[in-house]
Amino acid sequence: MAHTRHRKFNTRDTYPEQKLDNDLCQAVVARGTTIFLRGQCPQDLDTAKNINSHDPVEQTHKVMQNIRQLIEECGGQMEHLCKVVVYLTDVRHREAVYRTMGEYIRGVHPVSTGVVVTALARPDWLVEIDATAVIPD
């Protein structure tokens, strides 16, 4: 593992009433080159066009694919991901979004904060995730 992950847990244990399976932790100790990503939305990185879907699962796949692509373009890997902040426009999408996000962070254990907001920058967006990664020295 690239960094020290303190107090690892899985959301299936901490939120048993929700069908989640995310590897998270309470704190990450990291040293190296820090990558701060802009909040990623369900749009193409090259064209800035929204994907043609109002489904929270499909939107989250695109968001997480963007995060992975940007981290890799910066010379890192998903295992260098330290923190995500998830913004949702509807709390009812939480399980779908977190289940989908979990596919990309399996075994990584970043810290995570979830926030429900009134709206995002474009009305079609249901989810936005910003991320911080650290490439080890």
Side-chain angles (χ1 to χ4, degrees):
M1 180 117 343
H3 306 297
T4 303
R5 312 292 173 148
H6 186 69
R7 292 185 180 244
K8 294 179 187 178
F9 67 94
N10 187 288
T11 53
R12 74 177 160 265
D13 302 320
T14 55
Y15 299 98
E17 74 282 4
Q18 299 176 20
K19 296 176 181 80
L20 301 177
D21 185 14
N22 294 66
D23 289 333
L24 300 174
C25 69
Q26 296 293 339
V28 175
V29 179
R31 294 182 65 132
T33 303
T34 305
I35 305 167
F36 298 99
L37 297 184
R38 173 181 184 235
Q40 293 302 303
C41 301
Q43 63 182 178
D44 184 270
L45 284 172
D46 295 321
T47 65
K49 291 187 180 182
N50 292 346
I51 65 167
N52 190 22
S53 175
H54 296 288
D55 177 55
V57 170
E58 290 182 22
Q59 287 197 11
T60 305
H61 274 298
K62 183 58 181 165
V63 167
M64 292 306 296
Q65 290 163 3
N66 287 353
I67 288 171
R68 180 176 57 209
Q69 179 180 340
L70 289 167
I71 289 173
E72 290 174 356
E73 286 177 2
C74 292
Q77 302 170 10
M78 284 299 280
E79 71 180 27
H80 302 145
L81 184 65
C82 293
K83 180 173 183 166
V84 294
V85 180
V86 181
Y87 301 90
L88 301 173
T89 58
D90 188 330
V91 72
R92 293 172 293 187
H93 297 312
R94 184 176 187 276
E95 286 186 55
V97 167
Y98 275 71
R99 272 196 311 270
T100 305
M101 184 177 71
E103 297 175 27
Y104 295 84
I105 61 170
R106 180 94 45 241
V108 175
H109 298 274
V111 296
S112 173
T113 299
V115 182
V116 179
V117 297
T118 304
L120 295 168
R122 290 193 175 157
D124 293 345
W125 295 345
L126 304 174
V127 60
E128 180 173 339
I129 301 174
D130 72 45
T132 304
V134 179
I135 301 171
D137 292 331

